[in-house]
Amino acid sequence: MKYIFLNLKRFDIPTEFGGVNRLAPVPEWGKTVVESTQEKLSAYSPEQVTFAAFLPEAHLLSAAAARETDSPLHLGSQGVHRLDTAPGGNFGAFTTSLPAAAVCAMGMEWTLIGHCEERNNYAQILAEAGVHDPEAVNRLLNQEVRAAAARGLKILYCIGEKSEEQENWQQVLQAQIETGLAGVDRSQVVIAYEPVWSIGPGKTPADKSYITKVARFVKQLTGGMDIVYGGGLKSDNASMLASIDEIDGGLIALTRFSGEIGFYPDEYLEIIRLYLGN
């Protein structure tokens, strides 16, 4: 099975507010993404490839409403709170946070947990308290994974090492996996590998040999869990990533990185064609 994930980040911000949403007005954006892709994605066998898109909260309902019953495009949230609602207990007063129950109620099937941006956020909060403890970040993420799994959500769990962690990348990734996925049915989880040290303007992208050695390590450590490349599946690396047997897919965000940068459905579909070879 191959997996093509789409993380639509902050596409709830139009250009006039400094964002990169050029596709549609905010109330219609999720609907536009689904309607402009699901029919063409139907050309691929669901037995061979799974498509899932993670959207900002503002777009979840319009996307769900536009999704046809047999749509090949599954939908997910960009995270869940580490606590969930409980009958007779906490009814969900997690102001600014989205509990897993709400994600399910909105028709989502997937959620994204542990993205490097979320890891950085937790690390910054801990640093304000004078704490530098990557394992604490892993434990907090494990609470999110458990909450999502308890609701039956499928999880894309991100791991990755920073530049200062490269020397010990195996220990870093092992801790992220073993602590982050402790006590969880791993059949509900796909791993996304983000080489954090190589992502961003002016940085050298991880090459085939590096991605391959990491994927092999993760496969051996986890007993063969599915792993996708989370550092950005693009038109210029799709063929290379497709040639790595240990990589089971990729994570797309932006489709255009210069000029009118942003997400464009036709370019998204072309990246998929380049990766899958048809």
Side-chain angles (χ1 to χ4, degrees):
M1 174 68 75
K2 294 292 186 181
Y3 298 87
I4 305 293
F5 295 105
L6 179 61
N7 182 19
L8 292 166
K9 295 203 173 184
R10 293 256 60 93
F11 286 100
D12 45 1
I13 305 177
T15 54
E16 59 266 32
F17 287 95
V20 293
N21 173 11
R22 296 180 171 87
L23 187 62
V26 169
E28 301 173 13
W29 199 87
K31 170 186 174 183
T32 301
V33 169
V34 173
E35 289 183 341
S36 59
T37 58
Q38 62 184 351
E39 181 178 352
K40 291 184 178 179
L41 292 178
S42 296
Y44 299 95
S45 168
E47 304 300 320
Q48 298 176 330
V49 58
T50 293
F51 301 101
F54 303 102
L55 295 91
E57 188 172 348
H59 298 317
L60 296 181
L61 291 177
S62 68
R67 185 178 180 273
E68 297 174 356
T69 302
D70 58 350
S71 175
L73 182 61
H74 302 276
L75 301 175
S77 67
Q78 293 185 321
V80 297
H81 192 52
R82 62 186 182 277
L83 302 176
D84 200 359
T85 57
N90 193 323
F91 62 89
F94 314 129
T95 303
T96 77
S97 297
L98 190 64
V103 172
C104 292
M106 287 189 281
M108 302 299 107
E109 300 172 84
W110 284 82
T111 192
L112 175 67
I113 294 175
H115 191 281
C116 63
E117 294 162 354
E118 183 182 21
R119 288 181 179 276
N120 286 340
N121 182 51
Y122 271 136
Q124 289 164 5
I125 292 170
L126 290 168
E128 285 295 315
V131 176
H132 175 72
D133 183 2
E135 271 296 277
V137 174
N138 293 331
R139 290 193 297 271
L140 289 168
L141 293 172
N142 177 250
Q143 293 177 38
E144 295 182 5
V145 172
R146 285 172 178 259
R151 289 288 179 179
L153 290 167
K154 298 175 184 176
I155 300 150
L156 181 62
Y157 178 68
C158 299
I159 63 172
E161 76 281 15
K162 299 178 181 179
S163 56
E164 64 269 26
E165 297 172 326
Q166 270 192 279
E167 186 176 340
N168 301 311
W169 67 270
Q170 291 171 306
Q171 295 94 319
V172 170
L173 299 186
Q174 183 170 352
Q176 290 175 352
I177 291 169
E178 293 185 347
T179 301
L181 299 182
V184 174
D185 178 359
R186 294 187 177 186
S187 68
Q188 292 177 246
V189 183
V190 174
I191 291 175
Y193 169 60
E194 298 179 281
V196 183
W197 55 270
S198 76
I199 300 172
K203 296 183 178 180
T204 302
D207 61 17
K208 179 177 179 177
S209 62
Y210 195 96
I211 296 168
T212 301
K213 77 173 182 179
V214 171
R216 285 177 179 168
F217 170 77
V218 172
K219 290 277 191 185
Q220 292 169 359
L221 179 67
T222 63
M225 285 183 69
D226 290 322
I227 177 172
V228 304
Y229 182 65
L233 172 58
K234 312 167 189 176
S235 59
D236 60 1
N237 68 6
S239 296
M240 179 272 285
L241 292 171
S243 71
I244 303 175
D245 291 338
E246 293 83 359
I247 289 292
D248 302 301
L251 179 62
I252 300 170
L254 296 173
T255 62
R256 190 181 304 175
F257 296 85
S258 61
E260 293 189 338
I261 66 172
F263 169 81
Y264 297 91
D266 288 346
E267 295 172 355
Y268 162 70
L269 293 166
E270 176 63 9
I271 293 170
I272 291 171
R273 187 193 69 77
L274 290 170
Y275 179 78
L276 295 177
N278 53 25

